[in-house]
Amino acid sequence: MTVTTERDALEAARSAFRLELLDAGLLIATSSPGVYGRSATFERILTGLDAVLTDMAAPLNATAVRFPPVYPRADFERTDYIASFPDLSGVVSSFEAGDREHRELLGARERGEAWDGWLSPADVVLTNAICHPLYATLEGVLPADDQVFDVFGYGFRHEPSLDPMRLQSFRMHEFVYVGTPQGAQEYRDTWLDVAQATLASLGLPITAVAANDPFFGRAGRMLVSAQLRENLKIELTVPIYGDLHEGTAIASANCQREHLTAAFGIRTPDGEVAHASCVAFGMERTTLALLRTHGLDVATWPAEVRGLLGL
Ligand code: ATP
Ligand code: ZN
């Protein structure tokens, strides 16, 4: 196949999978690509998966924390997200002016014109990576040499797509280590293996591959090559579209080093900048990978997998 026909075939396979999910009622379409409702069955699978992940992580004695899907713009400013991923970000705006501006807004709306010009930035942004609000709360000296956190929640990425594996709003479950440089590296390597084994136990054909974040633009290309060279990010992928695609990442294990801990002023008790690493699971992607692998009718899934997921 030529490159173009191969790409067309992949797009067709993505659309077909999307339609199958919509027809089965597992996802509910909205007018925005990558924004879906989920059915009760979809949520049951996702909840079962989450219980498996929580069991997997029991030996970590992680501190569980939950944050809402927005966090302070001031904290967002301390990350380099808007510099590295301007295209993926989502900032919240609202109306803060008076009656005159309100009338102008209403007039524009009446005429079918854009009314966004009357809005101004709110003091929150949409959370892109659910570990960011956590880091913002850890500023200062950690109470111990290291600590592990369990974070779960919705993240937003502005990447509209007809591939059901690429959503604009989706849940992540992350197990985040904050502590010493050596501890961060060891944690990443150990928990990458545990994560891979756990996902494989659900019958998913997992491959671990070196990966990079989708840094934007020309400056971003240098960050990509550094990330790959230093083997900082490893993704666990599952084939969703056969030979048309090399596989979709359902989880990743990352060494952040002091990237975010320096930005938020997080130190170990000896006064050094802490290092961080994490294992992150894409909850919708893993649920969809299970549906793709075992079929859209949960009743026909292997008994062992249903048992593990409590289905
Ligand atoms: P990709 O390269 O596939 O876009 P990513 O590198 O942006 O993934 P991470 O930032 O590592 O992904 O996010 C952690 C996990 O969240 C991913 O392994 C994946 O399972 C999930 N994820 C990331 N982006 C999306 C998305 N747009 N829709 C659904 N799940 C996603
Ligand atoms: Zn992404």
Side-chain angles (χ1 to χ4, degrees), residues 245-258:
H245 188 250
E246 68 276 17
T248 305
I250 59 169
S252 69
N254 310 290
C255 265
Q256 270 99 11
R257 299 215 167 130
E258 68 273 282

Side-chain angles (χ1 to χ4, degrees), residues 111-162:
R111 294 188 296 278
E113 294 168 10
W115 41 261
D116 318 56
W118 282 273
L119 303 185
S120 48
D123 68 347
V124 291
V125 299
L126 300 183
T127 303
N128 308 104
I130 54 156
C131 55
H132 290 179
L134 167 73
Y135 288 119
T137 64
L138 299 179
E139 180 162 13
V141 178
L142 294 170
D145 275 348
D146 53 15
Q147 209 175 344
V148 177
F149 293 90
D150 163 331
V151 207
F152 177 94
Y154 266 100
F156 171 84
R157 310 252 172 109
H158 175 250
E159 43 188 0
S161 166
L162 288 180

Side-chain angles (χ1 to χ4, degrees), residues 51-294:
V52 168
L53 299 179
T54 303
D55 282 351
M56 170 202 80
L60 285 169
N61 284 322
T63 305
V65 279
R66 302 291 181 260
F67 292 94
V70 292
Y71 82 115
R73 191 186 175 96
D75 293 335
F76 179 71
E77 291 284 7
R78 295 177 79 173
T79 73
D80 56 6
Y81 204 87
I82 198 66
S84 293
F85 312 104
D87 51 334
L88 299 181
S89 62
V91 300
V92 177
S93 41
S94 191
F95 182 79
E96 289 180 330
D99 276 338
R100 183 169 61 82
E101 292 81 2
H102 186 217
R103 277 196 301 279
E104 290 168 4
L105 181 156
L106 292 178
R109 182 164 177 268
E110 194 79 1
R111 294 188 296 278
E113 294 168 10
W115 41 261
D116 318 56
W118 282 273
L119 303 185
S120 48
D123 68 347
V124 291
V125 299
L126 300 183
T127 303
N128 308 104
I130 54 156
C131 55
H132 290 179
L134 167 73
Y135 288 119
T137 64
L138 299 179
E139 180 162 13
V141 178
L142 294 170
D145 275 348
D146 53 15
Q147 209 175 344
V148 177
F149 293 90
D150 163 331
V151 207
F152 177 94
Y154 266 100
F156 171 84
R157 310 252 172 109
H158 175 250
E159 43 188 0
S161 166
L162 288 180
D163 180 1
M165 299 300 279
R166 192 167 293 286
L167 308 175
Q168 296 202 58
S169 185
F170 56 93
R171 280 159 286 181
M172 289 169 252
H173 199 152
E174 285 199 30
F175 300 93
V176 182
Y177 171 98
V178 190
T180 64
Q182 196 195 341
Q185 182 70 49
E186 285 171 8
Y187 173 90
R188 199 283 297 262
D189 296 344
T190 306
W191 286 90
L192 168 66
D193 292 345
V194 178
Q196 179 161 4
T198 305
L199 293 170
S201 76
L202 297 173
L204 295 172
I206 303 284
T207 310
V209 291
N212 60 269
D213 287 313
F215 295 104
F216 186 81
R218 200 183 303 168
R221 281 199 282 280
M222 278 157 63
L223 296 170
V224 165
S225 48
Q227 201 177 23
L228 287 171
R229 193 173 55 241
E230 300 181 41
N231 196 28
L232 297 180
K233 175 165 180 147
I234 297 179
E235 285 181 339
L236 299 177
T237 68
V238 175
I240 300 292
Y241 303 114
D243 295 340
L244 294 170
H245 188 250
E246 68 276 17
T248 305
I250 59 169
S252 69
N254 310 290
C255 265
Q256 270 99 11
R257 299 215 167 130
E258 68 273 282
H259 183 65
L260 286 156
T261 38
F264 287 107
I266 305 168
R267 282 171 287 122
T268 49
D270 62 9
E272 299 291 321
V273 175
H275 277 223
S277 58
C278 76
V279 181
F281 296 85
M283 297 306 296
E284 279 78 2
R285 273 197 191 171
T286 309
T287 301
L288 291 166
L290 287 164
L291 287 161
R292 189 64 162 173
T293 305
H294 300 308

